[in-house]
Amino acid sequence: MTGCKLLLVTGLLLLSAQLQAQDPRTSSEQELAEVQESIRQTEQRLQQQQRALQQAEQQLQQADRTLANASQQVRQQQQALRDTEQRLQQLLAQQAQLEQDFAKQQQQLAAQLRSAYQLGQHDYTQLLLNQQDASQLERVLIYYQYFNRARMQQLNAIRSTAEQLESVQAELQSRQQLLQQQLQSLQQRQEQLQLARTEQQSTVRSLQRLLEEQGQQLSYLRQNESSLQATIDALKAQAQQVQLAGLTALKGQLQWPLQGRLVQRFNELRQGGLRSRGILIEGAEGSAVSAIANGQVIYADWLKGYGWVLVLDHGEGFMSLYGHNQNLLKEPGEQVMAGEQIALVGRSGGQATAGVYFEIRDKGEAVNPQSWLQSR
């Protein structure tokens, strides 16, 4: 009996083990654990990708800022150089005029001395002793006084001219030395600019490779467009406070912000699958971007995906936007005139080709810029 019970218990235990091995709940739990682990690894990988993307974006923004600063320093140095060269030309002209005046004054003094010598043949003391005619004596005395005054004035003029000439020559020498220093400084600034440009382009390529590897180009473009739209919406209220004439009367007559090849048209598909809300005009890096019409700057800052962006309010709900600039030449609140330089062509914001991204907005909605610009 005891043996039977032992066999029965043993059999039940074996059956229970088999049933447990075949229990679907255990299999489901294992599958669930595997799925959860896969999700955890995927989330971890996505977080790593997101951190890498954010780091690449920060590096790009810093590269854009470094390039903008270098560009600004080159412009300032070039302006200082132009000012020095202009002052040198003024000094050279002043020196030539002073030398001419000095020679003329010397000739006049020589003529006065010859006249005084001729008059000196009638000695003043001798005239008194000889008691010549009083009227003749008075005339001679007047002549003596006239020549003496003229001679003193001429000597003072010569002395003053000589002092001015000496001062001009000293400043001229100083300015020439300054010019050499500025030329050396400009060369250094230009080398720094080239290094910054190279670093920026390298950062752009790194960001593009990262987006391709992660397959996030479309998502990245949507985020950028969303950021731009949010900025435009925020500017609409600000733009309504400015009283300007708008663009309606100028439709088809507005000048282009940049003369260059049109590499992207309005509503064309961009890389990544989104349609463009503006146009992209190719241009030489560092060349001038101009305002299409009179307006007021209401935005001038770095914007994700668009780099250094400047927005002009033209009144009546019209705004124009200029992106991917190397540097901005105007600040919010400044008034600009049609054709005035407002920025420099660049590649900021991750742009591979140097140019300007341009939009026209009517009450916040993007319109085809080519319908508003002059035909060409």
Side-chain angles (χ1 to χ4, degrees):
M1 186 71 179
T2 302
C4 290
K5 286 182 178 181
L6 181 60
L7 289 173
L8 180 60
V9 170
T10 302
L12 289 172
L13 289 172
L14 291 172
L15 179 61
S16 175
Q18 292 175 356
L19 290 174
Q20 185 175 3
Q22 297 175 0
D23 190 348
R25 289 179 299 177
T26 304
S27 177
S28 298
E29 289 174 355
Q30 291 176 347
E31 291 178 0
L32 179 59
E34 292 174 357
V35 170
Q36 288 175 337
E37 177 61 21
S38 177
I39 291 173
R40 188 189 65 80
Q41 292 179 357
T42 301
E43 289 178 344
Q44 185 177 10
R45 185 166 57 253
L46 289 174
Q47 289 174 358
Q48 291 174 346
Q49 291 177 347
Q50 188 63 29
R51 284 194 296 270
L53 182 58
Q54 289 175 351
Q55 184 178 6
E57 290 174 347
Q58 290 172 357
Q59 290 174 346
L60 175 61
Q61 184 176 3
Q62 182 58 46
D64 285 347
R65 290 189 183 280
T66 301
L67 180 58
N69 290 334
S71 172
Q72 180 65 17
Q73 289 175 355
V74 166
R75 281 180 58 82
Q76 291 174 346
Q77 196 64 54
Q78 288 174 333
Q79 183 60 51
L81 193 61
R82 285 192 294 268
D83 292 342
T84 300
E85 289 174 339
Q86 183 179 1
R87 180 57 182 159
L88 277 174
Q89 293 303 317
Q90 293 173 349
L91 288 170
L92 287 170
Q94 188 177 358
Q95 182 186 39
Q97 184 62 51
L98 286 170
E99 289 174 345
Q100 184 178 348
D101 292 345
F102 190 74
K104 186 177 180 180
Q105 289 165 355
Q106 285 180 319
Q107 292 173 0
Q108 291 174 346
L109 180 60
Q112 288 177 356
L113 291 174
R114 282 194 298 270
S115 299
Y117 174 76
Q118 294 172 358
L119 185 62
Q121 292 178 355
H122 304 283
D123 183 75
Y124 175 68
T125 306
Q126 185 180 4
L127 290 172
L128 290 175
L129 293 174
N130 291 339
Q131 295 183 354
Q132 294 184 353
D133 181 65
S135 60
Q136 181 182 359
L137 177 60
E138 184 179 357
R139 286 195 299 273
V140 171
L141 291 175
I142 291 173
Y143 289 152
Y144 266 110
Q145 292 173 359
Y146 168 76
F147 281 121
N148 284 335
R149 284 197 301 269
R151 197 158 51 240
M152 292 304 298
Q153 290 175 356
Q154 202 64 47
L155 287 170
N156 289 333
I158 289 175
R159 186 181 300 110
S160 175
T161 302
E163 290 174 353
Q164 292 181 51
L165 187 57
E166 184 179 356
S167 175
V168 166
Q169 289 172 339
E171 185 181 354
L172 191 58
Q173 183 178 4
S174 174
R175 291 282 180 172
Q176 287 171 337
Q177 292 175 352
L178 177 62
L179 182 63
Q180 291 300 319
Q181 294 172 0
Q182 289 176 333
L183 284 170
Q184 292 175 359
S185 179
L186 176 59
Q187 184 178 2
Q188 293 174 356
R189 300 293 187 192
Q190 288 173 332
E191 290 173 356
Q192 291 172 358
L193 177 61
Q194 185 57 45
L195 288 174
R197 185 180 290 120
T198 302
E199 178 64 25
Q200 184 216 36
Q201 293 172 4
S202 174
T203 308
V204 169
R205 289 192 293 270
S206 297
L207 176 61
Q208 292 298 330
R209 282 196 301 268
L210 190 61
L211 289 171
E212 290 175 4
E213 291 170 1
Q214 296 181 6
Q216 294 195 49
Q217 288 178 313
L218 180 58
S219 174
Y220 184 73
L221 289 175
R222 283 176 175 166
Q223 291 176 16
N224 295 342
E225 190 169 277
S226 176
S227 177
L228 176 61
Q229 187 61 50
T231 302
I232 293 295
D233 291 341
L235 292 173
K236 282 171 61 178
Q238 181 181 347
Q240 292 171 358
Q241 300 174 6
V242 182
Q243 298 300 319
L244 292 165
L247 299 178
T248 304
L250 299 173
K251 188 171 185 179
Q253 304 174 34
L254 297 172
Q255 57 183 297
W256 286 69
L258 177 68
Q259 294 300 323
R261 186 170 65 93
L262 194 62
V263 295
Q264 180 179 288
R265 297 179 180 273
F266 179 76
N267 208 35
E268 276 188 348
L269 284 175
R270 302 165 60 187
Q271 185 179 9
L274 284 185
R275 294 193 177 276
S276 174
R277 295 192 178 189
I279 60 176
L280 183 63
I281 309 168
E282 189 177 45
E285 194 164 0
S287 57
V289 178
S290 304
I292 61 168
N294 298 349
Q296 183 179 34
V297 181
I298 55 174
Y299 185 86
D301 206 344
W302 195 89
L303 188 62
K304 177 183 173 182
Y306 297 89
W308 292 110
V309 173
L310 187 140
V311 179
L312 292 179
D313 175 25
H314 302 286
E316 302 296 325
F318 286 97
M319 291 183 284
S320 59
L321 180 146
Y322 313 76
H324 296 317
N325 299 292
Q326 181 186 94
N327 198 9
L328 304 178
L329 306 182
K330 301 295 180 180
E331 296 181 357
E334 288 192 65
Q335 298 282 344
V336 299
M337 303 297 291
E340 188 173 352
Q341 294 183 7
I342 56 175
L344 300 180
V345 173
R347 307 167 184 254
S348 62
Q351 179 64 24
T353 304
V356 61
Y357 174 74
F358 176 68
E359 286 188 7
I360 292 180
R361 297 270 179 150
D362 182 4
K363 298 178 178 61
E365 295 298 322
V367 296
N368 188 350
Q370 288 184 262
S371 302
W372 294 79
L373 300 173
Q374 297 171 356
S375 58
R376 62 175 188 175

